[in-house]
Amino acid sequence: MNPRRAFLGLFLAAGLAWAGPCADADVVLELERPPAVLGGAQFELDGDVLTFSEGACLEAGGAAMTAARIVYDRAAGALRAEAVSGSFAGWAFRAPRLVGEGEALVLEAAVFERGDAVVRAERARFAGGRLALEALDARTPRYRFRAARGRLEGEVFVAEEVRSTPCKCGSALELAARRAVFRFQEDELVLQQGTFRLYGAAVARPERLRLELDRPLDLRFPLRLSYGAGWNFGVEGLPLPAADEAFGRWSTRLTLLAEGVGGAPAVGKTEAVRFAVEHASAGRTLRFGLRPARTWDGAAWRTRVEPDVRLNDGPLDFRIGWSPGLDRSVAAFTLSRSFDLGLLQLRPFARLAHEEQTGLAAGAGGRLVAADRRFGALQLRLELPYQLALYPDAAPYVWGGGRAELRYGEAARLWAEAYGVRGRPRYGYEARTAREGAGFEAGRALRASASYRRAVRYDLAAGAVAREDRTFAVRLDYAAAWGTLAAGWRYEQRRDGAGAPLGGDARWTLAAARAEGELELAWRRGWDTAWSPAYSELRLAYRPAAPDCAGGWTLAPSLGWDLLRGRVSRAGLELTLNDCCFAWTLGYQGVFAPQLPGEAAGHQLRFGVRLR
């Protein structure tokens, strides 16, 4: 019998008997070494060499694959494939080449993808239903890591000799571990026998460290250093890790910060030390803090201790704090819970407070969605917010109104709102601003907007209207391929409770942004009865774009010119040093001719670090 015909008959017989990923192929061959199933629609037989070139498929070790070409040499027992792609245990993969090695199939320069995770490996070995990787590099939206070896078994991926970093590029901040276990169903990575390195120096050696892959790291740099009316230095939000806490998800933090230390005494100058320990987990927050402080009144230092205590557990909230306006401690115990009833949102509350006044209050707040309709691209929405407070020894307080908004896709928006009050609030918790306003936005590449707002502010201690603010604003934005251009005008008018003028402020701005950076020119002029009969200042500021992964440095200058006095009013410079992981910032701001209400001449110096 012709060996070529017998060989071909074997393929066809195997094809009739097999029912798997290659069941639809015209020709199917089941191999014993390496254990695999081959198939395809078109094949070419040359002696003992079979080549599939159309619809080529392959199954081995639980992986289903397709390839541009599969070649099997029966005499040599050799198998190879080109342009391979497939899936294994929920992972999609691709590789330029596959070869058979004994009982295993090996992908070269393979890429595996699952959701937002991407794993690249020099070699990926399928054998016995398992996948083993060598010299792998993996990326998730939050982390990058490398490992010498790894294996995938169902929903668990185990890697050895792992090096992981949250840095955008480089490895200035790195965690090395002997072993890492990825659990994809929990989006969790557990590192064992790790070493935490900063610029190559070991700073910690955690025995076990857990990372949550689906949440961003909270790596706020805790060190604070700045100078204003005095030096501010210490730590704020320093993590105090507990056993088995996820890295960057620390529930306990410490603050120990000196404020306003040193410098010449001036009326109102305050020196303080802020201490606080905060624990937050499972929706609960516990905070205990104290702020010993002293303030210079022109003749002597006045000392005090400001408490900072909070307990929050779901509907229960208890606080003890300090009120600068009242110049004494305040406290409140609140029970409150939110209910979402579809179109109606309801939040009833009951409080016992020692704030502007001392006593009980109960009520409810929320909003009612009266209309939410769509007519093609046109959308109409009407909301009716409300707040009600009842007091045992005073008249009720009611605040409410409505906001209507009409949208036409992203091209235009028109809105109007009005809120009024009846009665007087006794506490800041339930107090709302009586206000009204209207505005519009229209356009796409060229977008115009204008608005008007009026707000009435109350003095809770005095129980009367303290101020009325009116604001008018107009803005034009233009977006093009080269960048954006914006021009704006804003005017604010302030009056007291009796309607007498308190001041006014007008600001014109022109800003341009390109890939290289942002430039802003602003002119601000106005007056204030308690501060200055008139001020007029021109400001110029430039902020360059952050450099790419290669690092580098940037300078962001700013300058102000007093148009009435003809001299420099302020100047600033911010230096940012970027490496592949961190941005180190040193900034200076000097005010030489105060312009705005409450502003004082002086110098400020600040230092900061952030993860890029």
Side-chain angles (χ1 to χ4, degrees):
M1 183 177 181
N2 190 320
R4 178 185 177 96
R5 292 179 177 273
F7 194 23
L8 181 58
L10 177 62
F11 297 152
L12 295 173
L16 293 173
W18 184 260
C22 294
D24 294 333
D26 295 336
V27 178
V28 177
L29 172 64
E30 185 174 3
L31 307 181
E32 294 183 359
R33 183 179 175 85
V37 176
L38 313 180
Q42 284 190 3
F43 66 92
E44 180 180 328
L45 185 62
D46 184 6
D48 286 333
V49 179
L50 176 68
T51 301
F52 292 99
S53 58
E54 182 178 333
C57 60
L58 185 151
E59 186 203 3
M65 315 178 206
T66 60
R69 193 164 74 113
I70 299 176
V71 179
Y72 176 62
D73 188 333
R74 183 189 181 195
L79 173 67
R80 67 180 186 274
E82 299 172 357
V84 180
S85 62
S87 61
F88 177 79
W91 286 83
F93 63 84
R94 62 184 186 276
R97 179 178 168 83
L98 176 145
V99 296
E101 293 184 358
E103 298 292 328
L105 294 177
V106 178
L107 294 171
E108 299 178 352
V111 178
F112 294 80
E113 296 178 337
R114 177 171 178 157
D116 295 328
V118 179
V119 178
R120 301 178 185 273
E122 289 186 9
R123 287 166 58 87
R125 183 182 181 90
F126 291 99
R130 296 183 179 181
L131 171 63
L133 307 179
E134 299 176 11
L136 62 98
D137 180 276
R139 291 176 180 265
T140 72
R142 312 299 180 190
Y143 305 94
R144 294 187 300 114
F145 71 90
R146 302 185 303 275
R149 297 172 301 279
R151 63 182 185 275
L152 181 63
E153 301 175 14
E155 293 293 329
V156 177
F157 178 72
V158 180
E160 298 177 2
E161 303 299 329
V162 177
R163 307 177 80 90
S164 177
T165 177
C167 298
K168 183 178 180 181
C169 56
S171 55
L173 181 65
E174 182 183 62
L175 180 64
R178 290 190 177 181
R179 190 170 185 265
V181 179
F182 294 79
R183 295 184 175 89
F184 297 107
Q185 287 186 338
E186 293 84 8
D187 284 322
E188 180 183 79
L189 165 62
V190 178
L191 298 163
Q192 300 172 354
Q193 296 181 329
T195 301
F196 192 65
R197 294 191 179 98
L198 182 63
Y199 290 103
V203 295
R205 298 183 183 276
E207 186 66 24
R208 187 175 186 272
L209 195 63
R210 186 164 60 91
L211 301 176
E212 295 176 345
L213 301 178
D214 62 336
R215 296 177 61 186
L217 279 176
D218 184 7
L219 292 181
R220 293 170 289 174
F221 193 70
L223 182 63
R224 297 290 181 266
L225 178 62
S226 63
Y227 180 84
W231 286 101
N232 306 302
F233 57 90
V235 293
E236 184 176 19
L238 176 69
L240 302 177
D244 202 36
E245 277 191 317
F247 183 76
R249 299 284 173 274
W250 301 292
S251 57
T252 305
R253 294 180 179 270
L254 168 70
T255 294
L256 184 58
L257 192 63
E259 302 173 330
V261 177
V267 176
K269 174 179 169 56
T270 298
E271 296 181 350
V273 176
R274 184 154 57 98
F275 165 78
V277 177
E278 182 171 347
H279 178 82
S281 63
R284 301 180 180 91
T285 300
L286 176 61
R287 179 182 177 89
F288 176 79
L290 293 172
R291 185 175 180 261
R294 65 176 188 171
T295 300
W296 181 255
D297 63 5
W301 290 99
R302 294 193 308 108
T303 61
R304 62 187 180 276
V305 177
E306 301 177 0
D308 182 12
V309 178
R310 182 184 182 189
L311 170 62
N312 180 273
D313 186 1
L316 183 149
D317 186 85
F318 174 71
R319 304 187 187 201
I320 301 176
W322 183 265
S323 171
L326 300 175
D327 195 28
R328 61 174 173 83
S329 60
V330 295
F333 177 79
T334 306
L335 286 173
S336 179
R337 187 171 181 178
S338 295
F339 298 92
D340 192 344
L341 307 177
L343 298 179
L344 175 65
Q345 295 178 9
L346 178 66
R347 187 178 180 86
F349 70 89
R351 300 182 79 239
L352 173 62
H354 172 66
E355 295 173 340
E356 294 82 2
Q357 302 182 49
T358 301
L360 295 168
R367 71 181 58 236
L368 171 66
V369 179
D372 192 357
R373 301 290 183 86
R374 286 184 177 273
F375 309 92
L378 194 65
Q379 179 183 7
L380 173 65
R381 184 177 178 89
L382 175 61
E383 295 183 349
L384 305 176
Y386 62 91
Q387 182 74 31
L388 168 67
L390 304 174
Y391 312 107
D393 55 352
Y397 167 73
V398 180
W399 172 91
R403 177 185 174 91
E405 184 173 287
L406 184 65
R407 284 180 175 270
Y408 184 76
E410 298 296 327
R413 181 174 75 100
L414 179 66
W415 62 271
E417 62 182 10
Y419 305 93
V421 299
R422 179 66 62 89
R424 293 178 178 176
R426 299 192 65 179
Y427 308 103
Y429 179 85
E430 68 269 12
R432 301 292 185 271
T433 302
R435 64 184 190 270
E436 61 190 36
F440 77 90
E441 297 178 14
R444 294 184 182 274
L446 177 61
R447 193 167 185 85
S449 63
S451 65
Y452 160 75
R453 288 181 170 88
R454 173 181 171 271
V456 177
R457 308 183 186 279
Y458 284 86
D459 184 336
L460 296 179
V465 175
R467 203 174 81 183
E468 177 185 308
D469 296 339
R470 296 174 185 264
T471 304
F472 306 84
V474 177
R475 183 179 174 93
L476 286 173
D477 292 271
Y478 176 69
W482 53 265
T484 61
L485 187 66
W489 169 78
R490 178 185 176 92
Y491 176 72
E492 180 180 317
Q493 184 184 71
R494 300 181 294 274
R495 297 178 179 272
D496 63 15
L502 292 175
D505 183 273
R507 179 184 175 116
W508 290 261
T509 59
L510 181 64
R514 297 191 59 175
E516 297 83 1
E518 301 177 5
L519 179 67
E520 181 180 88
L521 177 65
W523 177 30
R524 191 163 187 168
R525 62 190 297 266
W527 60 278
D528 188 89
T529 55
W531 174 250
S532 171
Y535 57 87
S536 181
E537 183 185 30
L538 191 65
R539 294 189 190 182
L540 180 66
Y542 175 72
R543 179 170 294 277
D548 59 16
C549 246
W553 59 273
T554 60
L555 282 176
S558 62
L559 183 68
W561 183 262
D562 188 333
L563 296 175
L564 298 181
R565 300 174 180 86
R567 60 171 176 161
V568 174
S569 56
R570 71 189 69 238
L573 185 64
E574 184 177 88
L575 170 65
T576 302
L577 301 176
N578 300 275
D579 58 26
C580 287
C581 193
F582 296 100
W584 305 78
T585 301
L586 180 64
Y588 165 80
Q589 180 69 51
V591 177
F592 311 113
Q595 301 289 311
L596 305 179
E599 194 173 44
H603 307 273
Q604 291 184 350
L605 188 68
R606 63 185 182 277
F607 169 77
V609 183
R610 61 179 176 82
L611 190 68
R612 292 188 66 190

